Amino acid sequence: MVPDSATPDKSAPESKSDSRTPSKVSREAPCTHCDLPTPYVGENPPHPLFCCNGCRGAYELIQGWGLDSYYDLRDQANGERNRMPEATDKGRFDSFDDPEFLGLSTPKQQSDGLQSAQLAVHGLHCAACAWLIENAAQQTEGWNTARVHLGDHTLRVMFDPATCSLSGIARLLHRLGYELAPITKQPDAHFRKENRRLLTQIAIAGFCAANAMWIAVALYAGDASGVAAEHRLLLRLMGTGLGLIAVAVPGRTFFRGAFAALRTWTPHMDLPVALGLSVGTVTGTVNAISGRGDVYFDSLAVLVFFLLVGRWIQFHQQHRAAKAVDLLLRITPAHANRIAADNTTDWVLVDTLRPDDQIRVAAGESLPADGIIAAGNTTLDRSLLTGESQPVAAQTGDEVSAGTLNLSRSIDVTVRAVGSESRIGRVMQSVESAMAERTPIVQLADAIGGWFVVIVTLLAIAALVIWSGEGWGLAAGHATALLIVACPCALALATPLAIAVSLGRAAKRKILIRDGASLQLLASKGILWFDKTGTLTEGRSRAQVLYGPETALSDAAAVERDCSHPIASAIERECLLQGLTPPDDAELLVVETGGVQGVCEGRQIVVGNIPFLTSKGIVCSAEILAAVDASLQIAATPIVIAVDGVATTVLGLSDPLRQQAAETVATLQRRGWQVGILSGDHPAIVAAVAQQIGIPLELAHGGLLPADKLERVRQPQSMITVMIGDGANDAAALAAADVGIAVRGGAEVSLQAAPIFIASGRLTSIVELIRGSSATSKLIRTTFAVSLSYNLFAVGFALAGWISPLLAAVLMPLSSISVLSLTLAWPTFRSP
């Protein structure tokens, strides 16, 4: 077709008519399948438009498979012709600064002026991608941190909005080959989209590989039966073309990763793979054109196919691991019984609930959302959130929280918050954040993986030089095999995946861990300090009259009626057990450390320990002091009651030991831990408890104030220091220890004071925690050994020339797959 501005060729025959209608003008448009110029007649090109029946058949086959996204991938590979105009591109990324577009990914303001956001990432396939993105953050002004979570392909960023924007981060990652998107309440949608993309690439690579192999068979058969030179050259060129398509279209994902690594000077697994494909492609193409030497088109196509299949398997395994650590789904139900306007109910996904929706929660079910009881009275088990060991009554108008268990009868609840916005959701976020943290051993693995890529690249150059004497083709093949068979991904994947899966399994057993480094520390041996009251003991004291009239007990109960101290509760319970009725005419006047003072029916009542009574000028008789000593001998805390300035009664305050206390201490000691007690209770009582459960007396310290406990924990130690106690009362000591473990209180308070919270309240869970930490440590060492052994043998065999590029492509995914399989099968935090 001649351009309108050109002069017609006068030698051409004249048209019979110059009055051609526009409908018969021949024009050109790209073929729908192959994109080559294709003539058509008419004003607008038909769709679909094909240059030949072969393209029509291929198009119908791809559409039938449901792989029509192939054409989007093809258009992206066509270069500048299909590139999005800069203005449109800019507009697309600017939407990342719009809260309406971001939805759940809208940045949240932090106390230090920074903003944090969590987004989905498309294009992640291994730990090397995490290195690349996190390294890009370190080199970008205003972008403080990036934490990649491979399990669910999400990215948490922390940035300074004054110097950096979310749109700028999205634009930068687009240049590196990764696409950001807002997270949704249906994470499987992201998985399905990424799965579809990978399958499309595999289909294209498989098509090229199958046809290239058939051509290779024809050439090999031709070596035996004879084939014309021109036909041989044609077959070689056709096969090379298929190999080039496989490398350029589905294989371009490796080159994008390699170019991104070069831009940021970050070692990336795709770098040696891209180098290997480049060496094979250049060598094979030169040989095909020259007609001499081997061509690698069949190996290249099959190589890309196997590499992508391995990547797809790894992607599925990571998704399975992500399911294993979906903490919130393990604690709250996935469905709710929503009440419609006509009072009918239907089961819906919890994610679809909105504020002011009404749901019905039957007896025995967990609450799926925070809310207010709209109808019904019941009792609730709130132990996970509040630490209350006993069920509590709840009635219409009371607030209730997701994760609590409805015990008695059905209730209707008006929804206030769902998912991550609920109380339990906020707790789970603090636990899940530990999975993305880079613990010291993870940082070591990342460093080893980075150096490994550099070393492998240098070894490949060495292989090229060593084998160059045997011919360029052979040397290129061995270098390509070495570059492809080495897999640093498993080194970097082993540790974070093991920690993430362990944290998820621990959460299922009601052991909440918000710091992955704690698992690493607990795998070693050290000294473990227990608080006594409420930790080794039940935490529910009983006040027994050891000396004096019981009437003083009712006076003390009356004075302490408005006091919330555990001793006051114990006195009140004992008064009820004895059938005594505390007088109504009583007033609490003074509450101090060590005791209280008040008035009951005109009598002055003082209740407390000996130092407190002495401070009030009350002198204790020899009988009273003897009763105090008797109380200490039976491991009971002595409380003295004085009436009108005369000490008359001695109470023995006893707190029964937990049933598992002695067994837990013995198990920990057998595992190599030193076990001690740090308590504020009387030293004689602490010593008696230590003797009962097998703790050496030199490690049993009583009469300690919170500051004394803190000082003991901070004392320089050559071993790991672990503190186990109440999440509120022992907050300072829990925070100062190498590892703090809270066993009482609610999850919200305890996880602020200590990195680990035993939500079950059982002492045996501490043994589970220690055992699970050791199993996690063994898993990390095992996966490290497997990965290193594989790479040492694989690189050695490649240097020796025993591995072909095709075999290298088959072997390369085995390292990552073995690490993933070992991690999921390893018995971490499972019942022995």
Side-chain angles (χ1 to χ4, degrees):
M1 189 171 69
V2 182
D4 293 341
S5 59
T7 304
D9 185 357
K10 299 203 177 189
S11 62
E14 293 184 6
S15 302
K16 292 183 180 179
S17 173
D18 292 331
S19 60
R20 291 175 295 182
T21 60
S23 62
K24 295 185 179 180
V25 174
S26 178
R27 306 175 187 272
E28 287 185 345
C31 172
T32 301
H33 177 69
C34 69
D35 220 25
L36 293 175
T38 302
Y40 71 93
V41 176
E43 281 292 332
N44 299 310
H47 185 79
L49 175 66
F50 303 107
C51 62
C52 63
N53 286 330
C55 285
R56 182 186 299 276
Y59 175 83
E60 292 174 352
L61 181 62
I62 290 173
Q63 292 290 327
W65 282 347
L67 300 176
D68 46 290
S69 57
Y70 153 74
Y71 297 104
D72 296 331
L73 298 173
R74 178 207 62 193
D75 293 341
Q76 292 175 18
N78 281 342
E80 294 293 332
R81 180 173 62 82
N82 289 318
R83 180 171 295 175
M84 187 179 295
E86 185 64 27
T88 305
D89 204 44
K90 181 177 184 298
R92 181 181 65 163
F93 291 119
D94 283 349
S95 60
F96 280 88
D97 297 327
D98 182 1
E100 292 187 2
F101 169 77
L102 290 173
L104 295 175
S105 293
T106 301
K108 297 179 180 178
Q109 193 70 33
Q110 306 297 306
S111 58
D112 55 2
L114 301 179
Q115 290 185 348
S116 67
Q118 186 173 13
L119 302 110
V121 188
H122 299 276
L124 287 177
H125 57 81
C126 68
C129 297
W131 301 345
L132 192 61
I133 293 175
E134 292 174 3
N135 191 71
Q138 296 173 8
Q139 300 185 27
T140 304
E141 183 182 1
W143 186 1
N144 287 47
T145 58
R147 288 291 178 265
V148 176
H149 191 252
L150 278 172
D152 57 4
H153 286 216
T154 58
L155 167 67
R156 183 174 292 278
V157 298
M158 190 84 68
F159 61 97
D160 182 358
T163 55
C164 182
S165 65
L166 207 53
S167 59
I169 293 173
R171 187 179 293 108
L172 172 62
L173 292 184
H174 172 73
R175 291 180 55 209
L176 296 181
Y178 305 99
E179 298 295 333
L180 291 185
I183 59 173
T184 65
K185 290 186 176 180
Q186 290 80 30
D188 281 347
H190 168 67
F191 167 76
R192 288 193 295 270
K193 182 176 181 179
E194 192 72 11
N195 183 62
R196 189 183 184 90
R197 186 184 68 83
L198 285 171
L199 287 177
T200 301
Q201 292 181 332
I202 291 172
I204 299 170
F207 175 82
C208 293
N211 286 282
M213 289 299 290
W214 280 117
I215 294 174
V217 169
L219 285 175
Y220 298 149
D223 288 337
S225 60
V227 65
E230 62 272 17
H231 294 160
R232 177 179 294 278
L233 178 62
L234 177 63
L235 289 174
R236 287 164 66 93
L237 291 176
M238 288 176 60
T240 300
L242 286 168
L244 289 173
I245 292 173
V247 172
V249 181
R252 80 182 186 281
T253 184
F254 303 107
F255 291 95
R256 289 172 64 183
F259 289 139
L262 293 174
R263 287 193 195 105
T264 58
W265 289 95
T266 304
H268 193 288
M269 172 199 161
D270 284 347
L271 191 57
V273 173
L275 284 173
L277 291 175
S278 299
V279 171
T281 301
V282 171
T283 304
T285 304
V286 170
N287 290 346
I289 294 173
S290 64
R292 297 188 304 273
D294 294 328
V295 291
Y296 300 102
F297 54 83
D298 52 337
S299 296
L300 286 173
V302 176
L303 188 64
V304 172
F305 175 73
F306 279 128
L307 288 172
L308 290 173
V309 168
R311 182 162 291 185
W312 179 80
I313 294 173
Q314 183 176 340
F315 171 72
H316 266 261
Q317 290 281 62
Q318 288 173 352
H319 181 67
R320 182 183 168 194
K323 286 292 186 184
V325 296
D326 195 348
L327 304 184
L328 197 56
L329 287 178
R330 291 184 177 276
I331 294 174
T332 59
H335 294 82
N337 201 13
R338 186 169 59 189
I339 304 173
D342 58 357
N343 206 35
T344 60
T345 61
D346 58 325
W347 283 98
V348 297
L349 287 170
V350 170
D351 289 341
T352 63
L353 293 178
R354 296 291 180 268
D356 296 328
D357 282 353
Q358 283 209 342
I359 56 175
R360 184 159 293 160
V361 185
E365 293 180 354
S366 291
L367 273 71
D370 290 358
I372 297 175
I373 298 179
N377 300 326
T378 188
T379 54
L380 299 175
D381 177 359
R382 306 193 303 187
S383 58
L384 179 61
L385 276 171
T386 66
E388 295 166 287
S389 58
Q390 298 297 318
V392 296
Q395 56 190 359
T396 302
D398 287 350
E399 293 186 1
V400 291
S401 301
T404 57
L405 182 63
N406 181 22
L407 297 176
S408 302
R409 54 184 63 88
S410 176
I411 55 174
D412 293 348
V413 176
T414 302
V415 174
R416 287 291 178 261
V418 181
S420 60
E421 299 301 319
S422 64
R423 289 180 65 189
I424 189 65
R426 291 192 293 270
V427 171
M428 290 302 101
Q429 285 177 21
S430 68
V431 176
E432 287 180 333
S433 65
M435 300 176 187
E437 289 182 359
R438 291 293 186 255
T439 61
I441 193 169
V442 174
Q443 294 170 1
L444 174 62
D446 289 350
I448 292 174
W451 279 106
F452 186 86
V453 171
V454 176
I455 292 171
V456 165
T457 305
L458 295 176
L459 286 175
I461 296 173
L464 198 65
V465 173
I466 293 171
W467 288 95
S468 60
E470 302 293 329
W472 168 255
L474 186 63
H478 292 334
T480 300
L482 191 150
L483 286 166
I484 289 171
V485 77
C487 182
C489 247
L491 289 171
L493 184 66
T495 301
L497 185 66
I499 291 175
V501 171
S502 295
L503 294 185
R505 290 175 177 171
K508 184 180 180 182
R509 303 189 70 80
K510 292 192 174 182
I511 301 173
L512 305 183
I513 305 170
R514 64 166 173 83
D515 180 9
S518 298
L519 287 177
Q520 182 182 344
L521 293 172
L522 289 173
S524 56
K525 306 295 185 292
I527 184 166
L528 196 151
W529 296 109
F530 276 98
D531 174 45
K532 183 186 75 69
T533 305
T535 303
L536 291 173
T537 64
E538 296 288 349
R540 291 177 62 85
S541 300
R542 179 182 177 186
Q544 180 182 2
V545 177
L546 299 179
Y547 176 84
E550 292 182 347
T551 54
L553 182 66
S554 62
D555 290 342
V559 169
E560 299 211 44
R561 184 182 292 122
D562 296 327
C563 184
S564 59
H565 195 276
I567 293 178
S569 301
I571 292 174
E572 188 175 359
R573 279 196 303 272
E574 184 63 20
C575 190
L576 292 174
L577 288 174
Q578 297 297 331
L580 301 174
T581 302
D584 293 330
D585 183 13
E587 182 181 2
L588 180 65
L589 300 177
V590 177
V591 178
E592 297 179 3
T593 301
V596 299
Q597 187 175 0
V599 177
C600 179
E601 293 184 335
R603 299 184 295 274
Q604 296 291 324
I605 307 297
V606 178
V607 184
N609 55 28
I610 295 293
F612 180 76
L613 268 68
T614 302
S615 69
K616 301 301 178 184
I618 298 173
V619 178
C620 296
S621 65
E623 291 81 3
I624 293 292
L625 295 177
V628 168
D629 290 337
S631 175
L632 294 174
Q633 289 175 8
I634 63 172
T637 302
I639 299 296
V640 181
I641 303 174
V643 180
D644 290 331
V646 179
T648 62
T649 306
V650 176
L651 305 178
L653 210 67
S654 60
D655 188 3
L657 283 171
R658 292 176 182 250
Q659 291 182 352
Q660 314 94 354
E663 176 190 350
T664 299
V665 169
T667 303
L668 292 171
Q669 289 171 337
R670 285 196 301 269
R671 296 187 69 89
W673 286 85
Q674 295 184 40
V675 181
I677 300 177
L678 299 178
S679 175
D681 210 342
H682 195 284
I685 295 175
V686 174
V689 169
Q691 285 183 328
Q692 291 182 54
I693 59 178
I695 292 178
L697 291 180
E698 62 270 17
L699 293 177
H701 304 284
L704 303 179
L705 296 173
D708 300 326
K709 293 183 181 182
L710 178 61
E711 184 179 353
R712 289 274 183 181
V713 168
R714 281 181 170 173
Q715 285 180 356
Q717 298 277 352
S718 58
M719 59 185 76
I720 300 299
T721 302
V722 179
M723 180 68 196
I724 303 175
D726 188 291
N729 295 343
D730 300 307
L734 289 169
D738 293 321
V739 180
I741 303 174
V743 294
R744 291 188 67 209
E748 293 166 305
V749 175
S750 298
L751 282 174
Q752 292 175 4
I756 299 175
F757 172 53
I758 306 294
S760 67
R762 299 191 306 269
L763 284 179
T764 51
S765 293
I766 296 173
V767 177
E768 286 187 58
L769 173 64
I770 299 294
R771 185 184 291 119
S773 300
S774 298
T776 302
S777 179
K778 290 178 182 177
L779 169 61
I780 292 171
R781 292 197 297 269
T782 302
T783 51
F784 251 76
V786 168
S787 181
L788 283 173
S789 299
Y790 159 84
N791 281 292
L792 287 174
F793 282 109
V795 170
F797 290 158
L799 274 173
W802 296 347
I803 297 178
S804 66
L806 189 57
L807 181 58
V810 177
L811 294 176
M812 191 274 283
L814 291 182
S815 180
S816 294
I817 293 171
S818 62
V819 165
L820 286 161
S821 302
L822 267 173
T823 300
L824 294 174
W826 202 266
T828 53
F829 289 98
R830 289 180 178 169
S831 298

